[in-house]
Amino acid sequence: NKKIRSVTLFGAGATVAGLSLGILMGRNWFYSRNFIRRITNAQVDIHKAKWAEELQLVRDRSNMELQRSSNTAIRGFALDLLQVADNLERASLSETNSEGVRMTYKMMEDVLKAHKVTPIPIRTLKKPDAGITVEDTDSSEMTDVDVTVVDPNLHEVISTIPVSETSLSSGRIIEEIQKGWLLDGKLLRPSKVVCVA
């Protein structure tokens, strides 16, 4: 009987100890699971922030690429359209021009400006529309301040005139042979000019 009692007591003790251990381990398991869950939630939040940042970068890159391809298409079309504008300008400046040609050229310029295609502003010694030439201009009328200086980023020099033949200093534009254009503030086509060398 003593053996049975001690085995029963031992068994009961082991059961109580096991339950206690199980409860403690369960509590530890529960706390460790919450700890892991909190760590996991923090990691998910970090990953969400990273994914959101990466998604924004992809959107920005896509928008830039779309803008670049759009500008490329507009640029090619604008360059082709400038040839028509040049011919209309020449026709409007000729002596046999009609009011219709001048109006068409004005409409063409307005359409170009509406699409951010603007002429490069130049003040020159020779104005084709005014009929002023280098020989006709009194040297006292024009000063260096009145004439645009050549900018290699905007102008292409196709001819030069020696300083001795004019009262202007070197680098000043005397005549614009072909009008230059900007697309949204960036060079589309440089102005072809004659300058003082």
Side-chain angles (χ1 to χ4, degrees), residues 175-196:
E175 181 181 2
E176 182 179 41
I177 303 297
Q178 184 180 41
K179 191 181 284 189
W181 295 84
L182 301 171
L183 173 61
D184 200 17
K186 296 178 183 171
L187 184 66
L188 180 62
R189 183 180 76 184
S191 300
K192 293 185 180 177
V193 297
V194 176
C195 74
V196 178

Side-chain angles (χ1 to χ4, degrees), residues 87-107:
N87 288 332
L88 280 172
E89 182 181 26
R90 280 191 282 277
S92 71
L93 295 176
S94 72
E95 292 177 13
T96 59
N97 66 0
S98 68
E99 188 63 27
V101 172
R102 280 193 296 269
M103 289 174 56
T104 305
Y105 176 64
K106 176 72 173 120
M107 282 176 42

Side-chain angles (χ1 to χ4, degrees), residues 27-37:
R27 186 179 293 165
N28 287 342
W29 178 82
F30 176 76
Y31 287 130
S32 66
R33 184 138 171 109
N34 278 341
F35 178 71
I36 291 171
R37 188 175 295 136

